[in-house]
């Protein structure tokens, strides 16, 4: 049995891990009360440092993914609000050496009220791509959406962001870049019952994303 982390008087939850490029440990992200918790641990599971930030003001942070980008910075993304029903989508870039946030953004667009699923660095331009499936309020529809986030500012690049619709609701839960393409796995549904839900695989040309 490994160590137990946290406090008995706080609501805490672990969501994501990323290995350190140096091979000497890893980073973990999760939730402490309503805020995002970032930790560095060694290979024995000892906490070397931890920082807490409120990335989605007035709602609960559900920081679902942490990646180490090509500069060694951490990029964290998640859902603000209800992890199941959705809310806002947010991301932040964090320097693990200075332990300071470089930028933090909450994305409110015409495709708002979504759920964050995953994030990866685009090897072609260095920007970050976030997978979400925002709810269209005018119709009962949730389309799989890839949002491109500008590397240096965290601003949303709407021109390189796109929605994908197959039936009434779609998600791309995980994706990766390989040999010039995006490969993803998720689900689409054509109704409210399990018999109407299907696994799905996608292959996307990033040039036409």
């Amino acid at each position: 049995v490994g160590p137990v982390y946290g406090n008995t008087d706080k609501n805490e939850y672990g969501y994501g891990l990323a290995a350190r490029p140096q091979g000497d440990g890893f980073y973990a992200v999760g939730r402490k009360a309503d805020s995002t918790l970032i930790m560095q641990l060694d290979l024995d599971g000892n906490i070397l440092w931890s920082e807490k930030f409120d990335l989605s003001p007035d709602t609960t942070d559900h920081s679902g993914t942490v990646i180490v980008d090509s500069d060694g910075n951490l990029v964290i993304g998640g859902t603000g609000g209800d992890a199941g029903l959705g809310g806002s989508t947010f991301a932040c870039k964090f320097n693990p050496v200075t332990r300071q946030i470089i930028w933090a953004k909450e994305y409110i667009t015409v495709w708002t009220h979504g759920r964050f699923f995953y994030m990866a660095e685009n090897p072609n331009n260095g920007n970050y791509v976030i997978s979400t499936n925002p709810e269209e309020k005018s119709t009962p529809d949730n389309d799989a959406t890839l949002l491109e986030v500008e590397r240096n500012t965290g601003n949303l690049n709407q021109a390189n962001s796109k929605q994908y619709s197959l039936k009434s609701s779609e998600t791309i839960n995980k994706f990766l870049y390989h040999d010039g393409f995006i490969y993803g796995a998720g689900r689409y549904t054509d109704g409210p019952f399990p018999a109407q839900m299907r696994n799905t695989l996608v292959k996307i040309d990033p040039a036409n994303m």
Side-chain angles (χ1 to χ4, degrees):
V1 178
V4 176
Y5 305 100
N7 301 305
T8 58
D9 61 341
K10 299 291 184 182
N11 186 8
E12 298 172 327
Y13 207 108
Y15 285 107
L17 289 172
R20 278 174 48 83
Q22 297 87 344
D24 58 356
F26 53 96
Y27 302 106
V29 299
R31 173 164 56 92
K32 185 181 183 71
D34 65 348
S35 299
T36 292
L37 180 67
I38 308 171
M39 299 190 301
Q40 181 182 331
L41 302 96
D42 64 20
L43 294 176
D44 293 321
N46 299 307
I47 298 174
L48 303 182
W49 54 257
S50 65
E51 299 287 351
K52 186 179 75 165
F53 301 97
D54 189 3
L55 300 178
S56 178
D58 303 321
T59 62
T60 299
D61 292 3
H62 300 277
S63 293
T65 297
V66 55
I67 62 172
V68 181
D69 73 4
S70 52
D71 293 328
N73 292 309
L74 307 186
V75 189
I76 298 159
T79 300
D82 190 297
L85 297 177
S88 66
T89 299
F90 65 81
C92 85
K93 188 171 183 175
F94 177 82
N95 185 323
V97 177
T98 64
R99 290 156 59 177
Q100 296 292 319
I101 289 179
I102 299 171
W103 52 254
K105 299 285 183 176
E106 193 169 18
Y107 303 108
I108 307 296
T109 72
V110 294
W111 302 334
T112 192
H113 199 74
R115 289 173 292 166
F116 172 93
F117 290 103
Y118 200 66
M119 176 171 52
E121 183 177 357
N122 184 338
N124 300 316
N125 59 16
N127 290 337
Y128 314 113
V129 176
I130 293 173
S131 174
T132 180
N133 75 330
E135 179 182 355
E136 295 283 0
K137 289 298 186 180
S138 59
T139 60
D141 199 12
N142 299 75
D143 294 333
T145 304
L146 295 180
L147 302 175
E148 184 174 272
V149 175
E150 208 284 325
R151 178 187 191 88
N152 295 320
T153 65
N155 293 332
L156 186 65
N157 186 350
Q158 193 73 54
N160 281 358
S161 300
K162 189 173 181 180
Q163 291 188 298
Y164 303 89
S165 180
L166 181 62
K167 293 291 186 177
S168 64
S169 180
E170 302 80 29
T171 60
I172 300 174
N173 293 83
K174 293 286 182 69
F175 67 95
L176 56 82
Y177 286 83
H178 180 70
D179 284 345
F181 291 94
I182 298 173
Y183 293 87
R187 191 189 77 178
Y188 78 87
T189 178
D190 195 23
F193 304 108
Q196 297 167 298
M197 301 174 186
R198 295 290 184 271
N199 296 318
T200 185
L201 297 174
V202 298
K203 180 179 181 181
I204 299 170
D205 183 351
N208 299 312
M209 192 184 86

